[in-house]
């Protein structure tokens, strides 16, 4: 793991004497091998010292408390040594432990791999026989979540095991992906209210950069995973905002290193020139600097105009979306207590819980009014592409109703 070979050894001692006072064993390994810890029941202390200056042999003595130990004892010994991390291929000798004064010593060995960019194979094995992973002690086998690649058994501790190691170059992978982005804009006479909903998954990302924010944008509100927070000014461009992602998370899932689902709601206002009888209006969509599966947009425009659209979504707005708008979510759990056998109803969905109170004085989320005529747009698989919608508005074309036929026209058509 990361250029370090670590070993965990379980030593079980049995004696015919009434109690064990101390045990001794030698650790044989590569030059630079270290004994990092020795632990066990009723262990009082342990010492480790170099036994041979020309070879890596470490003499370890463990002392037990007499009053708490019978004729058997178990020790957990951890060792490690550094490898040449710059070497592409190398041969590694695994450390082994030889108990001093033991009449008989048998055991099993299991090899697991933590680093995904390293390939291991057996190079040389002397005094060892291949075994099944299930033959290894459960104290070792059940303490790892990795599969056992190589398993051996031995009847004599004077064995030799060499492994060939090949290091591969690990490629960069995405730390976050965006499943959905939904953008809404309500255009009025001199202002536009923007709303951005982002549904994403991330593992280690701390901030999400959003570009294309208008320079005159103001009155921001931000909710991440149901928790009110504040955006940060920064990023690679002057029109960027940084959205903190480590807010309101499920800590158990996040600490396990799993992809964490995150919900982001960002709203703000911008200004534009007053709408006249005709003209144009440009709406650059906020750009998320991650691959996006589906982007949808809804524009709400005044009903008194007719419109033409250009940009990255085509020339016509749809009347509905093929992909429904996702709902934001929260990891916050309610604390309202109800009696046993309580019958829940729809009223419980709107009751305020004490966790919904804004205790930290954060921003207030403003709802977008249902006004104007809606035009819908959508696009799939957007990668590092800024999207924009350009709107041309003009008065609606005058339509003339056909005049009703006169009495004589009806009479003439009746008689042919």
């Amino acid at each position: 793991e990361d250029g370090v070979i670590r070993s965990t050894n379980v030593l079980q001692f049995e004696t015919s004497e009434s109690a064990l006072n101390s045990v001794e064993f030698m650790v044989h390994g590569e030059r630079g091998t270290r004994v990092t810890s020795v632990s066990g029941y009723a262990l009082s202390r342990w010492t480790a010292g170099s036994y041979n200056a020309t070879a890596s042999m470490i003499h370890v003595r463990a002392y037990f408390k007499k009053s708490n130990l019978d004729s058997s004892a178990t020790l957990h010994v951890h060792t490690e040594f550094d490898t040449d991390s710059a070497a592409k291929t190398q041969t590694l000798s695994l450390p082994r432990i030889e108990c001093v004064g033991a009449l008989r010593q048998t055991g099993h060995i299991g090899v697991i791999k933590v680093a995904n960019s390293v390939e291991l194979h057996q190079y040389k094995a002397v005094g060892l026989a291949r075994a099944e992973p299930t033959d290894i002690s459960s104290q070792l086998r059940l303490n790892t979540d990795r599969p056992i690649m190589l398993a051996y058994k031995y009847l004599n501790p004077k064995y030799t095991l060499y492994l060939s190691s090949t290091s591969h170059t690990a490629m960069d992978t995405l730390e976050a992906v965006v499943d959905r982005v939904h953008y809404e804009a309500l255009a009025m006479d001199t202002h536009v209210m923007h709303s951005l909903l982002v549904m994403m998954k991330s593992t280690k990302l701390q901030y999400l950069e959003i570009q294309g924010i208008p320079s005159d944008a103001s009155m921001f509100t931000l909710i991440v995973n149901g928790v009110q927070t504040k955006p940060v000014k920064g990023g690679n461009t002057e029109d960027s905002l940084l959205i903190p992602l480590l807010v309101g998370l499920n800590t158990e899932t996040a600490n396990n290193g799993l992809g964490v689902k995150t919900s982001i709601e960002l709203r703000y206002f911008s200004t534009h020139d007053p709408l006249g009888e005709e003209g144009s209006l440009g709406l650059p969509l906020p750009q998320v600097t991650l691959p996006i599966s589906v982007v949808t947009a809804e524009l709400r425009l005044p009903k008194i105009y007719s419109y033409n659209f250009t940009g990255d979504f085509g020339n016509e707005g749809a009347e509905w979306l093929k992909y429904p708008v996702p709902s934001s979510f929260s990891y916050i759990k309610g604390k309202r207590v109800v009696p046993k056998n309580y019958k829940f109803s729809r009223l419980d969905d709107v009751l305020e819980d004490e966790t919904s109170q804004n205790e930290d004085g954060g921003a207030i989320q403003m709802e977008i009014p249902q006004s104007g005529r809606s035009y819908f747009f959508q696009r799939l698989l957007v990668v590092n592409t800024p999207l924009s919608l350009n709107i041309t508005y003009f008065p609606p074309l005058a339509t003339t109703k056909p005049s009703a036929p006169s009495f004589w026209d009806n009479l003439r058509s009746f008689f042919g």
Side-chain angles (χ1 to χ4, degrees):
E1 177 186 1
D2 299 330
V4 179
I5 303 297
R6 295 183 174 91
S7 69
T8 300
N9 307 269
V10 178
L11 304 180
Q12 294 180 332
F13 298 90
E14 292 186 1
T15 180
S16 58
E17 300 178 0
S18 59
L20 281 172
N21 295 325
S22 64
V23 294
E24 300 177 56
F25 53 89
M26 304 294 297
V27 178
H28 303 262
E30 295 275 1
R31 189 180 299 276
T33 299
R34 304 176 294 274
V35 177
T36 57
S37 68
V38 178
S39 60
Y41 175 71
L43 179 66
S44 174
R45 61 188 178 91
W46 63 278
T47 60
S50 178
Y51 182 81
N52 192 327
T54 59
S56 182
M57 297 173 58
I58 303 174
H59 178 255
V60 180
R61 180 187 290 269
Y63 300 88
F64 299 99
K65 300 176 183 178
K66 297 181 181 180
S67 59
N68 296 332
L69 195 68
D70 53 15
S71 59
S72 63
T74 301
L75 289 180
H76 293 257
V77 182
H78 299 268
T79 70
E80 65 178 29
F81 69 91
D82 301 323
T83 63
D84 186 1
S85 58
K88 188 73 174 178
T89 60
Q90 53 186 320
T91 302
L92 306 173
S93 174
L94 297 188
R96 63 181 182 88
I97 292 180
E98 183 178 354
C99 298
V100 177
L103 297 179
R104 182 171 178 266
Q105 179 180 343
T106 62
H108 292 81
I109 301 172
V111 179
I112 65 172
K113 183 181 69 170
V114 176
N116 294 325
S117 59
V118 176
E119 184 178 357
L120 292 176
H121 295 281
Q122 174 184 307
Y123 178 76
K124 182 181 180 181
V126 178
L128 294 169
R130 296 298 290 265
E132 295 295 330
T134 53
D135 296 335
I136 298 176
S137 169
S138 59
Q139 297 185 52
L140 287 175
R141 189 178 69 253
L142 301 180
N143 282 334
T144 179
D145 57 352
R146 299 279 177 155
I148 298 176
M149 300 175 51
L150 301 172
Y152 302 90
K153 58 184 177 180
Y154 62 87
L155 300 177
N156 190 312
K158 297 183 181 298
Y159 63 84
T160 301
L161 177 58
Y162 287 92
L163 300 179
S164 63
S165 170
T166 303
S167 298
H168 304 288
T169 303
M171 298 181 63
D172 294 333
T173 57
L174 290 173
E175 294 184 350
V177 293
V178 178
D179 295 326
R180 284 295 308 274
V181 169
H182 181 69
Y183 171 77
E184 293 185 36
L186 172 62
M188 304 302 289
D189 184 35
T190 58
H191 287 78
V192 178
M193 183 178 181
H194 307 262
S195 174
L196 184 68
L197 175 63
V198 179
M199 309 295 290
M200 62 178 297
K201 295 185 182 72
S202 65
T203 55
K204 301 178 181 179
L205 203 62
Q206 301 182 45
Y207 292 92
L208 174 65
E209 182 179 356
I210 297 181
Q211 300 177 352
I213 304 297
S215 58
D216 60 349
S218 60
M219 294 180 282
F220 290 92
T221 62
L222 176 62
I223 294 180
V224 179
N225 296 327
V227 177
Q228 296 178 350
T229 184
K230 297 180 181 180
V232 180
K233 189 66 177 177
N236 297 322
T237 60
E238 295 182 357
D239 59 352
S240 298
L241 287 180
L242 297 179
I243 306 299
L245 299 180
L246 305 181
V247 176
L249 292 178
N250 183 340
T251 54
E252 182 177 355
T253 303
N255 292 336
N256 287 335
L258 303 177
V260 180
K261 189 177 180 181
T262 303
S263 166
I264 301 171
E265 298 174 85
L266 175 67
R267 293 180 183 177
Y268 56 91
F269 288 84
S270 66
T271 60
H272 58 83
D273 295 333
L275 300 178
E277 293 186 1
E278 60 181 18
S280 61
L281 180 64
L283 290 177
L285 272 69
Q287 180 186 357
V288 178
T289 57
L290 288 173
I292 308 172
S293 297
V294 180
V295 179
T296 55
E298 178 184 357
L299 301 185
R300 299 178 187 173
L301 304 174
K303 296 181 180 180
I304 61 175
Y305 298 103
S306 294
Y307 301 95
N308 287 332
F309 300 98
T310 59
D312 299 294
F313 289 89
N315 299 328
E316 292 185 1
E319 297 182 356
W320 53 280
L321 291 173
K322 294 182 180 179
Y323 299 89
V325 179
S327 300
S328 59
F329 62 89
S330 172
Y331 290 107
I332 300 176
K333 298 180 180 179
K335 298 181 180 179
R336 190 164 66 94
V337 179
V338 297
K340 186 178 181 180
N341 299 326
Y342 178 81
K343 294 183 179 180
F344 290 92
S345 65
R346 293 184 178 179
L347 182 62
D348 295 283
D349 296 333
V350 297
L351 287 176
E352 288 191 1
D353 186 76
E354 60 184 32
T355 58
S356 64
Q357 301 297 325
N358 186 13
E359 299 177 353
D360 58 355
I364 302 299
Q365 186 79 317
M366 181 176 179
E367 298 295 331
I368 299 181
Q370 298 292 329
S371 176
R373 183 186 298 119
S374 293
Y375 298 88
F376 299 95
F377 304 87
Q378 57 192 19
R379 184 164 172 172
L380 307 180
L381 297 179
V382 178
V383 181
N384 293 330
T385 303
L387 303 178
S388 63
L389 274 169
N390 301 315
I391 307 166
T392 302
Y393 62 91
F394 49 89
L397 298 176
T399 57
T400 58
K401 289 186 176 181
S403 58
S406 63
F407 171 76
W408 297 108
D409 292 334
N410 290 333
L411 188 62
R412 190 177 297 110
S413 61
F414 179 76
F415 288 104

